[in-house]
Amino acid sequence: LTDRGKAGKPYAAQLQPLDTVETFIGGKMRKTPAFDREALLPGARLDGPTLVIEKIATIVIEPVNQVAMDDFGNLIVTIQGV
């Protein structure tokens, strides 16, 4: 991430998952971090596999893909190979 958080540390280094859960993603069981969407700030980027949990949905980001929050709070999923 290019954004800086508290004490000048990169924002990505400050992001902490709510939990790590076992999921079946990409054809096998994986320990997958689960993040609270409300805790993400514009510029946040997460590499898959990861989960983004919000009040009405859970967004599953598969391995090699990425999710980023834009300046308007939208989540943009980048799917590799597409």
Side-chain angles (χ1 to χ4, degrees):
L1 290 177
T2 57
D3 290 349
R4 296 283 177 180
K6 295 178 185 174
K9 292 182 182 177
Y11 175 61
Q14 296 179 36
L15 280 176
Q16 295 295 319
L18 292 171
D19 200 357
T20 300
V21 296
E22 286 285 327
T23 57
F24 188 79
I25 298 178
K28 65 181 184 176
M29 294 300 292
R30 299 172 187 265
K31 291 186 181 207
T32 307
F35 292 88
D36 179 0
R37 181 182 178 149
E38 291 184 15
L40 300 178
L41 298 175
R45 293 189 200 297
L46 300 170
D47 294 325
T50 196
L51 304 174
V52 179
I53 299 171
E54 53 188 342
K55 291 179 183 178
I56 60 170
T58 298
I59 301 165
V60 178
I61 306 301
E62 296 204 24
V64 307
N65 297 330
Q66 186 180 71
V67 63
M69 182 172 278
D70 70 12
D71 291 337
F72 301 100
N74 299 304
L75 293 177
I76 310 298
V77 178
T78 303
I79 300 172
Q80 298 299 316
V82 174

